[in-house]
Amino acid sequence: MAYDADCIFCKIIRNEIPNTVVYEDDVVKAFLDITQVTPGHTLVVPKTHVADIFGYDADLAAAVFSRIPKIAQAIKASDPAIIGMNIVNNNGKVAYQSVLHSHFHLIPRYQPTEGFAMTFTDNSADYTPEQLQQVAAKISAQLSAE
Ligand code: 5GP
Ligand code: ZN
């Protein structure tokens, strides 16, 4: 299990700093995010220190991701006012990652307008089908090179 002595989530995993635990097993720990963007906002983190999704292999992904549905379902079942959930995973500072130990935000949703919002800009007019094909081909080439 990788440990980074400078990492706040590694310290939370070891209970070296206070935290409000929701669930834990040998692979993940789930605890309440200190900001509580909405009530019940939970972070799911791998117990091994990995900075972001780019550091996962398939085994770690299978182990971590397999825990997420049951934690999400438990959050939803905990309050009948919860009618949806955003699951958010930020990777890199440019993508709003502030803690460099991989984590998944489980943000229960109670109403359309509350502490959490997302914007998806529609840039489809900027691309021809040929350009989209080139973008896809570059990504596909990386996958087939593995
Ligand atoms: P990011 O911006 O990296 O996706 O999210 C990091 C999250 O970690 C933030 O939502 C922030 O509130 C949460 N966080 C940072 N420090 C602590 C802490 O000491 N305890 C808890 N419970 N959450 C923290
Ligand atoms: Zn860590």
Side-chain angles (χ1 to χ4, degrees), residues 2 13 29 33 35 50 52 56 70 81-82 86 94 120 127 143:
I13 289 161
K29 181 162 182 169
D33 190 294
T35 58
V50 56
D52 53 36
Y56 280 65
K70 72 177 175 184
I82 296 172
N86 290 97
V94 72
F120 285 85
Y127 295 91
L143 288 164

Side-chain angles (χ1 to χ4, degrees), residues 14-132:
R14 293 189 176 191
N15 290 315
E16 292 170 358
I17 62 174
N19 62 89
T20 309
V21 67
V22 167
Y23 171 82
E24 72 180 309
D25 60 26
D26 55 330
V27 174
V28 299
K29 181 162 182 169
F31 53 95
L32 294 183
D33 190 294
I34 202 163
T35 58
Q36 290 297 283
V37 163
T38 66
H41 175 192
T42 296
L43 299 174
V44 180
V45 307
K47 283 195 164 173
T48 191
H49 180 85
V50 56
D52 53 36
I53 198 72
F54 307 117
Y56 280 65
D57 61 19
D59 288 342
L60 181 62
V64 173
F65 297 175
S66 70
R67 267 71 175 177
I68 289 178
K70 72 177 175 184
I71 301 169
Q73 290 156 14
I75 293 168
K76 186 170 187 296
S78 73
D79 187 340
I82 296 172
I83 54 174
M85 180 175 292
N86 290 97
I87 298 180
V88 179
N89 169 232
N90 299 329
N91 296 280
K93 288 181 181 170
V94 72
Y96 311 123
Q97 185 179 10
S98 60
V99 176
L100 302 182
H101 179 131
S102 175
H103 52 277
F104 296 83
H105 294 261
L106 275 52
I107 304 172
R109 299 300 304 272
Y110 300 78
Q111 52 196 349
T113 307
E114 50 192 341
F116 180 80
M118 284 175 87
T119 304
F120 285 85
T121 304
D122 182 357
N123 294 318
S124 58
D126 296 348
Y127 295 91
T128 65
E130 293 74 24
Q131 286 171 321
L132 291 176

